[in-house]
Amino acid sequence: GGEVCFGSSNGVMRCFDRTRGKELWSFQTRSEILSSPVIHEGRLYFASSDDRVYALSLKTGEKLWTFNRSTFQTVAPRVYSSPAFHEDKIYQLFSDGYLLCLSAATGKDLWARKVIKNFDQPGRVRRTPLVDGGSVYIIDDSLKVAALDASTGETGKSFDMIKARDFILHGGRAMIIAGSDQIVSVDRISGAILWKKDLSFKPVSTTFAAGDTLFVLSNYTKAPMGLNVFAKTKGHIEALRMSDGETLWGHDLYSTVTANASAAESHVAVLTDRGVIDVFRPE
């Protein structure tokens, strides 16, 4: 609609008027907000780093319900996981490694499934679940993409072609899995590999899709004339055709990149680690 909503490290969720930039409301939580909010039918859902999930009124910012996982861990990992919404249910991964299904109406927990024993994997890994076709997909602690029954949490198929950092669901059957230096497209029904691509720019940071295009954000180190003393690490964006993995275009970012990019109206915007926004318009 006409609002922009975002959380911040001081634990405040804010809602701004999209046109004027005027703050409409704010809501204070107990800890930093690392997740992106999900908006559906006048409600806003998000998670805070102390293992709480909130539902707010999009119009007023009033709290509708709070779910507290109450893990009571002495030292808990910072989990960069956002909620997923599907058929009046919220799916959220918590710092104790459990994926929970909550009622979007009341916040009541419907099922819980342990999917991660520890978070000691190197590199950044997608921790936000995706829901499609009656299954909820999540990367487990062995870096496989696991498929669970969205209604019961029962474990189904797993996809271990490569050690996954990120993944995207495409169409009715395809799943595109990004590893550190390779992209694989697999048929979710048969498990057959549709195509595989080795990346020249690596390791992968994040991926996202817009239309039939897959965008891969990577960071790579280049040493002029092989002299490591002059080596620099840069970011890179590459656009791939999702049907076959063919490269459509690519561009250096001249800075490393951690945040994901976004696309709208045939433009792609990337926020680099230097705080610069690069915008691309494919020819």
Side-chain angles (χ1 to χ4, degrees):
E3 291 81 37
V4 176
C5 301
F6 60 95
S8 56
S9 60
N10 63 352
V12 179
M13 176 61 66
R14 293 180 171 88
C15 182
F16 277 68
D17 180 276
R18 175 177 167 179
T19 304
R20 297 173 296 158
K22 178 183 178 181
E23 183 175 304
L24 302 177
W25 54 259
S26 64
F27 179 85
Q28 179 72 58
T29 69
R30 297 185 177 189
S31 64
E32 60 184 343
I33 300 172
L34 304 175
S35 82
S36 298
V38 172
I39 296 172
H40 183 77
E41 294 185 348
R43 289 188 172 196
L44 182 146
Y45 306 92
F46 68 96
S48 57
S49 62
D50 59 351
D51 283 329
R52 284 178 167 87
V53 177
Y54 296 86
L56 308 182
S57 165
L58 178 60
K59 184 177 181 179
T60 65
E62 175 189 3
K63 183 176 70 174
L64 304 175
W65 56 256
T66 304
F67 175 84
N68 183 5
R69 178 63 180 157
S70 300
T71 54
F72 299 111
Q73 299 180 89
T74 304
V75 178
R78 299 168 82 241
V79 181
Y80 293 86
S81 176
S82 300
F85 182 96
H86 183 71
E87 294 185 349
D88 298 322
K89 297 181 179 67
I90 296 291
Y91 299 86
Q92 176 71 36
L93 179 69
F94 292 89
S95 67
D96 59 357
Y98 275 86
L99 177 67
L100 264 68
C101 174
L102 308 175
S103 166
T106 65
K108 175 180 172 56
D109 58 314
L110 304 177
W111 57 257
R113 181 70 58 179
K114 183 83 168 180
V115 294
I116 297 175
K117 296 178 182 177
N118 62 72
F119 289 89
D120 295 335
Q121 294 293 345
R124 185 175 178 181
V125 177
R126 177 191 180 93
R127 294 306 183 194
T128 298
L130 286 177
V131 188
D132 184 67
S135 296
V136 53
Y137 298 86
I138 190 80
I139 298 177
D140 65 16
D141 53 359
S142 60
L143 300 185
K144 300 192 299 287
V145 181
L148 285 69
D149 186 289
S151 299
T152 65
E154 293 297 321
T155 304
K157 293 182 179 180
S158 62
F159 303 86
D160 58 355
M161 295 76 183
I162 57 175
K163 292 187 179 298
R165 283 197 170 192
D166 203 351
F167 67 97
I168 286 170
L169 305 180
H170 176 55
R173 298 183 58 151
M175 175 192 295
I176 299 175
I177 306 173
S180 175
D181 54 7
Q182 194 176 67
I183 306 287
V184 174
S185 178
V186 59
D187 188 304
R188 284 184 274 158
I189 307 301
S190 67
I193 294 179
L194 303 176
W195 55 261
K196 184 183 295 186
K197 183 180 183 68
D198 294 323
L199 298 173
S200 301
F201 300 93
K202 51 196 174 183
V204 170
S205 176
T206 58
T207 62
F208 78 104
D212 292 323
T213 304
L214 173 71
F215 297 91
V216 181
L217 300 178
S218 307
N219 296 305
Y220 73 100
T221 301
K222 185 176 181 179
M225 296 177 293
L227 301 175
N228 291 332
V229 68
F230 297 114
K232 291 185 177 181
T233 301
K234 298 180 179 181
H236 188 84
I237 180 170
E238 186 171 3
L240 308 179
R241 190 165 52 222
M242 283 201 281
S243 59
D244 57 10
E246 184 71 22
T247 297
L248 302 176
W249 57 268
H251 202 286
D252 278 348
L253 300 174
Y254 304 105
S255 168
T256 55
V257 58
T258 302
N260 211 335
S262 60
E265 300 178 0
S266 300
H267 289 67
V268 179
V270 183
L271 174 65
T272 69
D273 293 341
R274 286 185 179 178
V276 176
I277 297 177
D278 289 334
V279 180
F280 300 92
R281 182 181 62 194
E283 297 296 334

